[in-house]
Amino acid sequence: MSSGTGDGTSTLSGRGAGTAVVVGAGVGGLATAIGLRRAGWTVTVLERRAALERYGTAFGIHPTAQTALDRLGLGDALRVRTVPYRNARIRRPDGKVLAALPLERIERRWGRPELLMSRPHLIDALLAELDRLGGTRIEYARPLTDPGALVADLVVGADGINSAVRTAYFGTRSSPRPIGTVAWIGIAGFETGLYGETWGEGRFFGMTPVEPGRTNWYATVPAATRARELREAFTGWHDPIPRVLAETDPATWVRYEMRHLYPALRAFAADGRVALVGDAAHAMTPNLGQGACTALLDAEALTRAVAAAGPDGLPGALDAYDAERRRSAQRVAFGSRTLHRFMTARRPALRDALLRMLPG
C-alpha cells in the first residue's frame, strides 16, 4: 500500500511485483511510473516525442492533488517550487470585479491553499524522482503503432487526448471533439500583481503568479483567431492585459485547440491488464484548472490499487481503480466543459449579473 507519512514522504509495499509499460511521459505517465516503482514493479515508459515539452505554463495543484503527491513521496520536493494562489478575482473587460475565485473556500475546507507550479519544474521533479528510484527505462521517439503487441503484466495509457492505447483497447466511441475555441498561453517577464480571470464576450483572459518576477497568462478566443490578431482581440481591456500581450514575444506563445473527450468512457480499465490515466481517460477543457490534478489523482489511485493486489490480483485492482476514479474525474470534466460555455457566453449581461450574486 502507499500511504503518506505526514512529512511528504511515503512508504509503499506490494504483494509481489510485475512488469508494466506506461505509454506517455507527461505528468500522469511519470507519476504512474513513480508509484509503480515504489511498489517494486519493473517499468518501461514509452514516449513518442524525442524530448519532453518544457513550455512554461503554470499548473494549479489542488489540495487533493497535493495529498496524492505526498502519497507518491513527492510532496516536499515539489512544494519548494510552488507559490500559493490567493486573492484572485473575476472581472469584466473594463476591470469591474464581478466575483472572487473560490480560493479562500478551498483553503478553509482543506486546510491548505491551492498551489501554482510551472510545468517545467513539475516535469523535472518527476524525472528526478524516477532517476533516484532507478529501475525505470524511458524510451524516447517511440510512437506506438501497435498497442496490442505490448508485452507486460500491466499496460497504462497515459498518452493524452489522442491516445493510441484508448483507441486500441476501448474503441473509437469516445474521441476528441473540438469546441470552437483556441487557447494561447505564455509567460510575462514581470509580476502583474493582479490575478484571476477577465470574462468578455466569447473570450476570456487569465493571469496567475508562477514564480518571482514572472506571470503566467492564458487567453481563450474563437478558433479562427490567429497570433497576429490576439493583441487586437483584447484591445481596450483593463490593465495590465494589453501590457502583458505587448511585452510577451509572440514567438514564445503556445497555441492549442480546445478539445474534450466525448462521450465519456464507460470504463477506465479493460482486459484485466490495461488502464487509462489523465487526458487519455478524461481529457477536459482547462477552465477548472484540474487537468494535471486529475492525472495525479489517477496515478496515485491506480498505483495504490496495483501495489495492494500485486500482478495476480490485477483485474480486481483495475476494477477498484475504475470505481474510485471514473465518476469523479468525469464529473470534473463535465463541470469544466459547462464552465467554458458560461465563460464564453455571447451575451454576457445575464452571466455577469449571476456572478455578482455569488458570495465574495
Side-chain angles (χ1 to χ4, degrees), residues 1 24 76 103 139 147-148 156 164 203 246 264 304:
M1 295 286 290
D76 286 348
L103 301 171
E139 299 181 6
V156 180
R203 66 200 66 203
R304 172 167 32 88

Side-chain angles (χ1 to χ4, degrees), residues 47-123:
E47 170 54 48
R48 64 177 176 80
R49 292 165 295 194
L52 297 187
E53 294 178 344
R54 284 181 168 80
Y55 53 83
T57 54
F59 284 140
I61 310 297
H62 188 274
T64 54
Q66 295 171 42
T67 299
L69 287 168
D70 287 338
R71 290 174 173 169
L72 290 167
L74 290 160
D76 286 348
L78 292 174
R79 269 187 283 271
V80 299
R81 300 301 298 267
T82 62
V83 295
Y85 193 24
R86 297 186 173 105
N87 302 320
R89 301 289 183 264
I90 299 170
R91 296 175 170 84
R92 293 191 322 201
D94 63 6
K96 180 178 177 58
V97 173
L98 297 171
L101 291 179
L103 301 171
E104 293 179 8
R105 294 201 299 274
I106 290 172
E107 187 167 356
R108 285 196 303 269
R109 178 178 178 184
W110 298 99
R112 49 177 155 175
E114 180 154 337
L115 299 175
L116 290 164
M117 183 180 200
S118 77
R119 188 180 191 280
H121 292 161
L122 179 55
I123 292 293

Side-chain angles (χ1 to χ4, degrees), residues 222-288:
T225 307
R226 292 165 289 187
R228 65 176 181 268
E229 299 168 325
L230 189 64
R231 288 169 174 157
E232 182 180 349
F234 294 96
T235 298
W237 286 41
H238 69 80
D239 291 332
I241 292 173
R243 180 189 169 201
V244 165
L245 290 171
E247 297 186 20
T248 308
D249 183 358
T252 68
W253 299 354
V254 177
R255 176 193 185 276
Y256 65 92
E257 183 183 29
M258 299 275 269
R259 297 181 294 164
H260 67 142
L261 191 65
Y262 184 85
L265 284 169
R266 293 169 176 162
F268 283 3
D271 292 357
R273 61 182 287 268
V274 180
L276 301 177
V277 300
D279 282 353
H282 46 67
M284 65 187 75
T285 65
N287 301 86
L288 287 175

